[in-house]
Amino acid sequence: MTTYFIRRILLMIPTFLGSTMLIFVILQMAPGGPLEQTIQQLQAGAMQSGESVGSVGDIMGGGSSILPPSALRELKRFYGFDKPIYQRYLSWLGVWPREIKHREVKFLNDATEAQKNVGRGTYMTLKLDGDQVLVYDEEGTISNIWKASIDAEGSEENMILTTIFQTEFSGILTGNLGTSYTYDLPVTEVMAPRFKISVFFGLSGLLLSYLVCIPLGIRKALNHGSTFDFLSSVVIFAAYSIPGYALGGVLLVLFGGGSYWDVLPLGGFRSPSEVWENLTLFGQIKDQLWHAVLPIIAWSIGSFAGLTVLMKNSLLENISQDYIRTAFAKGLQEKRVIWVHAIRNSIIPIASGIGGVIGIVIAGSYLIEKVFNIDGFGKMGFQAILDRDYPITMGFLVIVVVIRLVANILSDITLATVDPRIRFK
């Protein structure tokens, strides 16, 4: 079994690379990217001031005065669009050197040598050598820190444009998820507080679902065909047919003080900081629970029916098995047969799916977070797609893919733990 799990862990690597590569390529090739959005903002500003501007295509082709070619090159360099897509992906991984601290240097009128101040009074000497640019430090030796290349797109007939830069290996494999275009902060700093919020609601809803659904499914199975079974099935399937976000909206109308009862808040993770910080510990716990009631109900309603029906049907199937009849024939008490033998085997289907459920609930739910005005992980990921904030989108993807891959292995471990007959090879 150890060999099986080692193989599963190793298979996570190509699965992760395949998933991230596919999404990365789609994002890079999709129209309306961050460069186009920036140009559209410049275009809108110029049109408001009455200036005549061309289309986005004209501006990107250098045919407009609102964005000089040098600024356009800088924008492409900032968003990484000056490199082929495979280099962008490898740089994002951290296995291809990423260029940083760019500075342009022009060689005019057949000049082959130029100096550039790279900061703090330090000058580098650049020399053209055919298609290469050699960088010498102040001691006259070739620099190991600074590199340079010819920018063919920006060069003209009597001017050769070069770019001097440093390189570093910086990507997700080095723990760097990049910097958000929207927040201008490291992606990890943007995601960390929102991830905690989604984990709080997701795990609370998951725990509540299992605590309620397993006992309820057992009672429905033991009272199969009774009035309680019929009425509870009606409630369960009615709840299953309502999407969590829609139920959240209804609950807010009923209990949020809008038209009916004013017993619960209208949303938010907790009270505003000026109120929260003045509360006692007991008051903070009460306030947190007060805000969490409705979102957790909406969060867990989707899995409520599935878990209950799965538990009931699994127990009914085991009760009809020969080993249960044999146990009764040996004179064992009904409680012992049901609770020791039948229920243990009935838990297996639910236990095997726990990894998938964890993967779903931790990733957050954009719609529920939107309804309750919760600034969580799911809402952040969806908004990043709309804003074409590629670093956050890819960071969100990395977290979700890793969670799902680990959750699948957790399902196998759980299944092998609760069912000794399972032997993975």
Side-chain angles (χ1 to χ4, degrees):
M1 192 175 292
T2 303
T3 306
Y4 170 80
F5 284 110
I6 292 175
R7 190 165 64 245
R8 285 291 305 272
I9 292 173
L10 292 177
L11 282 173
M12 289 173 60
I13 298 173
T15 306
F16 174 82
L17 293 176
S19 303
T20 55
M21 185 185 302
L22 178 63
I23 301 301
F24 188 89
V25 171
I26 292 174
L27 284 176
Q28 297 290 320
M29 298 183 67
L35 181 59
E36 286 87 348
Q37 287 196 345
T38 302
I39 291 175
Q40 286 174 350
Q41 291 172 0
L42 292 172
Q43 193 180 29
M47 291 177 69
Q48 284 183 351
S49 61
E51 186 177 348
S52 177
V53 297
S55 64
V56 174
D58 294 336
I59 297 173
M60 292 188 67
S64 175
S65 59
I66 65 169
L67 190 64
S70 59
L72 182 60
R73 285 196 303 273
E74 195 62 35
L75 276 176
K76 288 182 178 179
R77 193 176 295 141
F78 176 78
Y79 290 117
F81 292 119
D82 60 329
K83 296 290 184 295
I85 192 168
Y86 75 91
Q87 282 191 23
R88 283 179 250 164
Y89 178 72
L90 295 176
S91 296
W92 176 77
L93 284 178
V95 297
W96 189 282
R98 186 190 301 273
E99 297 179 2
I100 58 174
K101 299 181 181 179
H102 300 82
R103 291 166 176 80
E104 292 186 345
V105 181
K106 296 179 180 179
F107 290 81
L108 302 174
N109 301 322
D110 298 329
T112 59
E113 183 173 329
Q115 284 193 325
K116 182 66 178 179
N117 185 352
V118 293
R120 298 182 179 180
T122 303
Y123 284 84
M124 294 288 121
T125 302
L126 286 75
K127 293 183 180 179
L128 291 177
D129 184 12
D131 295 335
Q132 294 183 333
V133 185
L134 303 177
V135 182
Y136 294 88
D137 57 23
E138 293 179 331
E139 285 73 29
T141 58
I142 294 181
S143 175
N144 295 322
I145 301 175
W146 293 93
K147 299 178 182 178
S149 63
I150 296 176
D151 187 344
E153 185 179 346
S155 299
E156 298 175 0
E157 184 176 357
N158 296 321
M159 184 272 291
I160 297 176
L161 181 65
T162 63
T163 305
I164 182 172
F165 53 86
Q166 292 183 3
T167 59
E168 66 174 11
F169 288 92
S170 176
I172 59 168
L173 297 181
T174 64
N176 182 7
L177 296 180
T179 302
S180 166
Y181 299 156
T182 306
Y183 301 93
D184 195 23
L185 289 171
V187 172
T188 50
E189 289 187 17
V190 178
M191 291 198 303
R194 293 167 175 80
F195 187 66
K196 293 177 184 175
I197 294 174
S198 291
V199 167
F200 170 77
F201 284 114
L203 292 184
S204 299
L206 177 68
L207 181 63
L208 183 66
S209 298
Y210 275 80
L211 288 177
V212 173
C213 295
I214 292 178
L216 181 60
I218 293 173
R219 184 171 181 184
K220 283 173 63 61
L222 297 179
N223 296 279
H224 179 61
S226 64
T227 303
F228 169 77
D229 182 38
F230 174 75
L231 294 177
S232 59
S233 295
V234 171
V235 174
I236 287 172
F237 284 106
Y240 182 68
S241 63
I242 303 174
Y245 67 90
L247 177 64
V250 173
L251 293 175
L252 282 178
V253 172
L254 292 176
F255 302 106
S259 303
Y260 297 95
W261 301 282
D262 186 12
V263 294
L264 292 168
L266 266 174
F269 179 54
R270 57 178 58 148
S271 295
S273 57
E274 57 269 22
V275 177
W276 173 264
E277 292 172 356
N278 292 324
L279 295 174
T280 62
L281 177 61
F282 178 75
Q284 290 181 345
I285 295 174
K286 183 181 177 182
D287 182 81
Q288 188 68 80
L289 295 176
W290 188 48
H291 283 78
V293 171
L294 296 184
I296 288 179
I297 292 175
W299 223 289
S300 56
I301 196 67
S303 58
F304 186 75
L307 285 174
T308 303
V309 173
L310 182 61
M311 184 66 214
K312 175 193 173 185
N313 292 340
S314 180
L315 183 55
L316 285 176
E317 181 183 354
N318 279 284
I319 289 176
S320 64
Q321 297 294 317
D322 291 339
Y323 74 95
I324 296 295
R325 284 194 287 271
T326 303
F328 279 119
K330 286 184 175 181
L332 295 179
Q333 293 183 346
E334 182 180 353
K335 287 185 178 179
R336 180 176 176 81
V337 173
I338 297 297
W339 290 95
V340 176
H341 298 285
I343 288 181
R344 181 179 178 183
N345 290 329
S346 303
I347 292 290
I348 293 173
I350 293 179
S352 63
I354 190 170
V357 176
I358 289 176
I360 293 173
V361 299
I362 290 181
S365 170
Y366 162 71
L367 292 174
I368 294 177
E369 290 172 356
K370 184 72 174 177
V371 168
F372 288 98
N373 193 27
I374 297 170
D375 199 10
F377 196 60
K379 182 181 175 183
M380 177 207 67
F382 186 81
Q383 193 61 42
I385 295 174
L386 296 182
D387 295 339
R388 299 296 193 272
D389 196 335
Y390 290 167
I392 286 188
T393 303
M394 293 304 298
F396 177 82
L397 176 71
V398 167
I399 300 298
V400 172
V401 169
V402 171
I403 288 176
R404 294 305 298 269
L405 291 175
V406 173
N408 288 335
I409 294 180
L410 181 62
S411 290
D412 290 345
I413 295 175
T414 306
L415 185 58
T417 302
V418 299
D419 189 355
R421 297 169 299 178
I422 300 296
R423 288 292 180 268
F424 294 108
K425 295 182 179 178

